[in-house]
Amino acid sequence: MTNSWTDIRNTDLVVIMGGNAAEAHPCGFKWVTEAKANRGAKLIVVDPRFTRSASVADFYAPIRQGTDIAFLLGVINYCILNDRIQWDYTKAFTNASYIVKDGFAYQDGLFTGYDESKRDYNRSTWEYELGPDGFVTVDDTLQNPRCVWNLLKQHVSVYTPEMVSRICGTPKDKFLKVAQMISECSSPTKTMTSMYALGWTQHSKGSQNIRAMAMLQLILGNIGVRGGGMNALRGHSNIQGLTDIGLMSNLIPGYLTIPNEREPTFDSYMSTRGFKPMRPNQMSYWQNYKKFFVSFQKSMWGDAATADNNFAYDYLPKLDVPAYDVLRAFELMHEGKMNGYFCQGFNPLLSFPNRRKITAALSKLKFLVVMDPLQTETSRFWQNHGEHNDVDPSKIQTEVFELPTTCFAEDTGSLVNSGRWLQWHWAGGTPPGEAKHDTWIMGQIYLRLKALYQKEGGAVPEPIVNLDWRYKDPGEPSPDELAKELNGAALEDIMDPNDPTKVLFAKGKQLPGFAALRDDGKTNGACWIYSGSYTEAGNQMARRDTSDPDETGAYPKWTWSWPANRRILYNRASADINGKAWDPTRKLIEWDGAKWAGYDVPDIGPTMKPDVVGPFIMNPEGSARLFTRGMMREGPFPVHYEPFESPVVNVIAPKIRGNPASRVFKGDLEQFGDAKEFPYAATSYRLTEHFHFWTKHVQVNAVLQPEFFVEISEQLAEEKKIKSGAWVRVWSKRGSVKAKAVVTKRIVPLICDGKPVHIVGIPLHWGFMGAARKGFGPNSLTPYVGDANIETPEYKAFLVDIEPITGPVA
């Protein structure tokens, strides 16, 4: 989230695509209603269903799931053709003028360098042209046919209103109305905010869904400004925190990356992480990577991490594949190549695609450890629950350990919300029964593991036995101790480089922010973006001051926002090339002649001159990217690719199925269905009355939405002779479910490429554990394939068939 929930009140136009904030984020949605009430903001909803968000929208447009990129590139094309571009912003703050080197091309849905056998690209041509000085060559006039702007202009030209309607099923007049409303936000005094969620991420091209909107926001000048931005609506209170502290298989905290096998030495690792500036006088903040990394290593291994051993670089694993994401993990499990699995706080049996495969994979483990406050379907995957979990326990030899943990209401610590706010909370109760805090369980496992290594040795015991574990109670580190460690401290006196007699940070003291981190081993800090959250002044996350100077919506003293308590990322871009606010009524920061000052912490060096250093200092270009070089696996521009299971052929590239760069495991390719056998397009969604799989353990919530159902249009119901409230069977190539049918006007068939496409909505929540009635979920049906870049499974677009059946006897 570039901005914050509270900043949404500053916008003029809210576009909800790939989400349903009114239903899935009802508390946060109040900021949309405040923008509508106080600013006269308009709300657009583009969704396959007429959702609760759509019911309060000023304009609703239907769209076929999995076609958002075509829609968004169509809007970009509309803005270009109608000269609805914030030119001063686009020319100064994006890479529109950068020249792409000769050899790069795009044709028939593919970019140069594609290798069909590897389902991957050689991305060497996806680069800028460099001058003799080593910097990118530019054409400020935007006349060069190989500058990014002209390549983009050519790329999106195919996405005409007629083509968008043909692909998406959105009526042409509705698309044009949305495009016109969005294009008005190219004015410096009118802003738009994008609100998206899993409806965009859970696709085989989810990353490019988001990138397409980011590109649109850039040419409109809506990144870094109040009321603008790309705002990801996290589905759980701490999903943001989970990714921040590196709980992904290829990351360490602060979005640093784990080395791979081609980086056996510290020097080889650092050689690709510094990201030198690509323009004269530009700052690339990733040149501080070594400071962040070394401070992390010192947090992990303390005195054992020294300059002599490259700060224990060898202790880190070296990945042999890009990532061990959940799809790869369960594929390995399914192949019998994984012995044990720790499942902490999630429910794979109901959460991961192709449930039949997940059951088979779990059945091949030697042991499964489930850490959860509640008894989950995953922990009881081996039990027979009739048609809701039809397994033979006698044939499953997996040993399952259930470790009951505390619920969030029984914990003290911080939660990181969608807007990057670290909010401290205090326990509201004590753990019941045998439940223990996760920190106690993990502390006990570590101490026992360390004792085993000390007693028995091992191939590489050092990373375990040398782990820095100096907590007051080693068996249960406290939340405050962990928070301080994430912030970082001085391990020695840090002297002022301009005055060697002056101590900047005394030994043992908490650091004030990430600028204090050092690469010589004199500081630790487990997560550089959290540095400043727990300082010598105290726990900044526990602040509860609601003051808001000039009612900007920043609330700078309420809790703490990473990084550096910055409320809006890229806020340097809220001012023009001379440092003056684009919109004086929504001023954020401005250049006062000597420094940047205003209502937020500047996202640039405080004294960096506005006409010298570009605003996007985390990018070596110093500018935002309309063209991404080699950083996205399927291409430097988004392209419309159909879901792997699509009701129509890809009209842009008929020979390509799905995302050509998505990884597909061998056994899963045969389990993709086609439209001849499965004619209906299905999607999953959530309900306000239920919270993931938690609340089916709560009687009240179970009663509010008592029974598993699927949602279909009146037209499909008539075609299939299905009555509302009657039982139906829905099946895909991977499984079958039974449900009650809800026949509704909220879904209508769409005309895509000349044929009607019916949509089946399948809500997520039910299972066979808890207080709720037993039921199925969409993941018995969903395909086992993910986004090409981060492998998020494609839950939101797949094919099914449906028929009426005789239900169980009451």
Side-chain angles (χ1 to χ4, degrees):
M1 207 173 193
T2 58
N3 294 42
S4 68
W5 282 106
T6 55
D7 178 68
I8 292 170
R9 77 185 198 190
N10 293 317
T11 197
D12 298 302
L13 179 65
V14 179
V15 175
I16 298 179
M17 285 182 74
N20 181 10
E23 182 137 29
H25 305 85
C27 295
F29 190 73
K30 73 178 181 181
W31 300 104
V32 177
T33 62
E34 188 166 320
K36 285 170 67 68
N38 298 331
R39 287 194 61 86
K42 301 298 184 184
L43 169 62
I44 293 173
V45 172
V46 182
D47 197 277
R49 300 180 303 121
F50 188 81
T51 62
R52 286 179 175 172
S53 298
S55 71
V56 294
D58 296 278
F59 195 79
Y60 164 71
I63 187 174
R64 178 169 60 90
Q65 59 270 43
T67 64
D68 300 79
I69 288 173
F71 192 102
L72 293 169
L73 295 187
V75 177
I76 291 175
N77 188 39
Y78 177 94
C79 290
I80 292 174
L81 293 176
N82 290 277
D83 197 26
R84 292 299 184 97
I85 310 294
Q86 190 176 337
W87 281 114
D88 289 341
Y89 185 108
T90 301
K91 289 180 177 179
F93 297 163
T94 78
N95 64 350
S97 63
Y98 291 20
I99 309 300
V100 175
K101 75 178 188 180
D102 200 26
F104 168 77
Y106 167 79
Q107 187 176 0
D108 298 331
L110 293 173
F111 298 93
T112 44
Y114 187 65
D115 185 330
E116 187 175 2
S117 64
K118 296 179 179 178
R119 294 189 61 84
D120 204 359
Y121 280 97
N122 174 345
R123 295 183 278 276
S124 61
T125 62
W126 307 0
E127 288 289 349
Y128 303 125
E129 179 183 281
L130 302 181
D133 56 2
F135 293 122
V136 179
T137 58
V138 300
D139 174 15
D140 291 329
T141 69
L142 304 185
Q143 296 304 304
N144 189 305
R146 300 202 63 75
C147 76
V148 166
W149 184 255
N150 288 320
L151 292 174
L152 173 64
K153 188 176 178 180
Q154 179 184 359
H155 182 78
V156 301
S157 61
V158 69
Y159 298 95
T160 62
E162 293 76 16
M163 180 62 80
V164 171
S165 184
R166 181 181 174 190
I167 294 171
C168 303
T170 309
K172 179 181 173 182
D173 61 330
K174 289 185 179 292
F175 166 75
L176 286 171
K177 178 64 175 177
V178 172
Q180 177 260 321
M181 292 175 71
I182 288 175
S183 71
E184 291 175 359
C185 296
S186 59
S187 164
T189 57
K190 195 167 186 178
T191 61
M192 175 184 105
T193 189
S194 165
M195 298 173 68
Y196 70 92
L198 304 180
W200 268 0
T201 60
Q202 294 179 342
H203 288 276
S204 52
K205 64 279 186 179
S207 299
Q208 293 281 21
N209 282 338
I210 298 155
R211 211 179 106 58
M213 176 59 91
M215 291 163 61
L216 174 58
Q217 284 288 66
L218 285 168
I219 67 172
L220 296 173
N222 286 330
I223 297 292
V225 303
R226 282 167 57 186
M230 292 293 301
N231 293 314
L233 314 182
R234 298 296 195 161
H236 187 283
S237 57
N238 206 28
I239 293 298
Q240 181 68 58
L242 178 149
T243 53
D244 293 346
I245 59 173
L247 293 185
M248 295 176 72
S249 62
N250 64 330
L251 297 180
I252 53 182
Y255 302 93
L256 309 182
T257 51
I258 290 179
N260 59 56
E261 286 185 337
R262 298 184 301 278
E263 298 164 331
T265 66
F266 182 51
D267 288 342
S268 62
Y269 174 76
M270 284 306 307
S271 69
T272 60
R273 300 305 195 284
F275 303 130
K276 295 179 180 179
M278 304 189 75
R279 293 295 297 150
N281 302 313
Q282 183 55 40
M283 154 63 88
S284 174
Y285 206 80
W286 281 118
Q287 290 188 287
N288 292 297
Y289 192 103
K290 187 177 180 181
K291 298 175 182 177
F292 309 150
F293 180 80
V294 169
S295 295
F296 166 77
Q297 294 290 98
K298 292 295 292 185
S299 291
M300 288 289 286
W301 288 288
D303 295 339
T306 67
D308 291 337
N309 69 358
N310 287 317
F311 301 104
Y313 177 77
D314 292 343
Y315 290 4
L316 287 175
K318 311 298 184 289
L319 291 174
D320 59 336
V321 292
Y324 281 92
D325 54 275
V326 292
L327 294 180
R328 188 184 296 277
F330 274 81
E331 171 67 14
L332 290 170
M333 202 183 295
H334 193 256
E335 293 176 353
K337 297 178 180 179
M338 184 180 291
N339 291 324
Y341 193 72
F342 273 75
C343 179
Q344 184 181 9
F346 69 119
N347 194 359
L349 192 69
L350 296 187
S351 299
F352 293 167
N354 192 351
R355 179 170 155 183
R356 185 179 294 164
K357 179 175 181 176
I358 300 303
T359 299
L362 291 169
S363 300
K364 295 178 181 180
L365 290 171
K366 292 183 179 178
F367 70 90
L368 169 67
V369 179
V370 177
M371 296 170 60
D372 206 281
L374 304 166
Q375 291 185 340
T376 69
E377 281 74 12
T378 299
S379 68
R380 299 306 173 101
F381 82 95
W382 49 272
Q383 286 183 337
N384 187 288
H385 288 262
E387 64 181 355
H388 297 99
N389 200 51
D390 190 9
V391 298
D392 183 354
S394 67
K395 294 182 179 179
I396 298 174
Q397 301 302 306
T398 307
E399 187 171 11
V400 180
F401 300 89
E402 283 186 295
L403 301 181
T405 65
T406 49
C407 173
F408 60 87
E410 297 145 8
D411 289 329
T412 294
S414 68
L415 296 172
V416 189
N417 76 358
S418 300
R420 298 168 286 102
W421 290 13
L422 283 73
Q423 303 187 95
W424 198 261
H425 65 99
W426 294 265
T430 54
E434 295 181 275
K436 298 287 188 182
H437 294 296
D438 292 71
T439 46
W440 182 88
I441 294 172
M442 296 169 77
Q444 299 300 318
I445 290 174
Y446 168 68
L447 292 177
R448 287 161 171 74
L449 194 62
K450 181 179 179 180
L452 274 174
Y453 271 102
Q454 288 174 327
K455 179 182 178 181
E456 300 177 5
V460 187
E462 292 84 1
I464 299 297
V465 299
N466 290 339
L467 207 61
D468 194 26
W469 204 263
R470 286 175 286 189
Y471 303 108
K472 185 176 180 181
D473 177 2
E476 185 172 11
S478 73
D480 283 86
E481 287 176 306
L482 295 169
K484 288 181 177 180
E485 188 176 354
L486 287 164
N487 179 91
L491 302 177
E492 301 177 28
D493 285 347
I494 308 295
M495 311 307 292
D496 187 340
N498 299 316
D499 183 357
T501 65
K502 182 181 178 182
V503 177
L504 287 179
F505 314 112
K507 180 180 179 179
K509 298 294 185 181
Q510 290 293 105
L511 298 176
F514 57 75
L517 295 171
R518 298 292 187 267
D519 61 9
D520 55 6
K522 292 181 180 179
T523 60
N524 68 14
C527 184
W528 73 274
I529 60 175
Y530 285 4
S531 192
S533 63
Y534 207 129
T535 66
E536 284 300 305
N539 185 350
Q540 303 302 295
M541 299 170 282
R543 297 183 303 166
R544 292 296 184 267
D545 185 336
T546 58
S547 60
D548 186 25
D550 290 341
E551 298 184 344
T552 63
Y555 299 99
K557 295 181 181 179
W558 175 273
T559 191
W560 191 86
S561 176
W562 73 258
N565 201 35
R566 186 170 297 123
R567 303 295 159 136
I568 296 181
L569 296 178
Y570 317 116
N571 57 35
R572 157 63 188 92
S574 68
D576 65 20
I577 193 68
N578 297 311
K580 293 300 179 183
W582 296 109
D583 182 356
T585 69
R586 276 182 288 207
K587 175 182 168 183
L588 192 56
I589 64 169
E590 279 191 326
W591 178 255
D592 66 8
K595 65 182 185 307
W596 292 97
Y599 301 108
D600 199 5
V601 178
D603 197 356
I604 195 167
T607 59
M608 288 182 178
K609 294 182 178 180
D611 56 346
V612 175
V613 178
F616 293 87
I617 63 172
M618 297 304 289
N619 296 342
E621 295 97 328
S623 62
R625 302 180 181 117
L626 300 173
F627 176 95
T628 64
R629 301 163 62 215
M631 300 173 187
M632 304 288 281
R633 287 194 64 212
E634 67 273 86
F637 293 130
V639 177
H640 166 67
Y641 297 119
E642 288 291 333
F644 275 86
E645 294 190 341
S646 172
V648 297
V649 172
N650 184 346
V651 298
I652 298 294
K655 296 180 180 179
I656 298 174
R657 180 174 190 173
N659 185 332
S662 284
R663 178 194 65 203
V664 180
F665 294 115
K666 183 179 179 182
D668 299 311
L669 188 62
E670 293 76 33
Q671 293 199 44
F672 293 150
D674 60 48
K676 292 180 181 178
E677 190 176 1
F678 302 98
Y680 307 119
T683 190
S684 63
Y685 61 94
R686 292 196 169 98
L687 305 170
T688 302
E689 293 81 3
H690 289 176
F691 182 72
H692 298 271
F693 305 111
W694 279 67
T695 45
K696 62 190 177 65
H697 293 263
V698 181
Q699 185 75 18
V700 173
N701 296 82
V703 169
L704 286 171
Q705 287 284 6
E707 202 153 27
F708 175 55
F709 66 87
V710 298
E711 190 174 3
I712 61 173
S713 69
E714 294 174 338
Q715 293 85 347
L716 180 57
E718 182 179 354
E719 181 179 309
K720 303 293 289 189
K721 303 296 186 285
I722 296 169
K723 293 182 179 180
S724 192
W727 284 88
V728 294
R729 180 173 81 99
V730 182
W731 71 101
S732 73
K733 194 133 184 184
R734 293 157 296 276
S736 174
V737 301
K738 297 176 182 178
K740 284 284 187 74
V742 173
V743 180
T744 173
K745 296 181 185 295
R746 300 196 308 176
I747 295 177
V748 295
L750 301 172
I751 303 300
C752 301
D753 200 18
K755 63 177 278 191
V757 173
H758 292 284
I759 294 169
V760 178
I762 309 177
L764 170 83
H765 294 291
W766 290 269
F768 54 84
M769 301 296 293
R773 290 183 183 180
K774 291 182 180 180
F776 300 91
N779 289 338
S780 295
L781 311 175
T782 49
Y784 204 85
V785 67
D787 170 77
N789 295 283
I790 57 172
E791 311 300 347
T792 300
E794 186 158 52
Y795 298 120
K796 295 298 182 184
F798 53 100
L799 292 179
V800 298
D801 201 352
I802 187 171
E803 66 180 4
I805 60 170
T806 302
V809 178

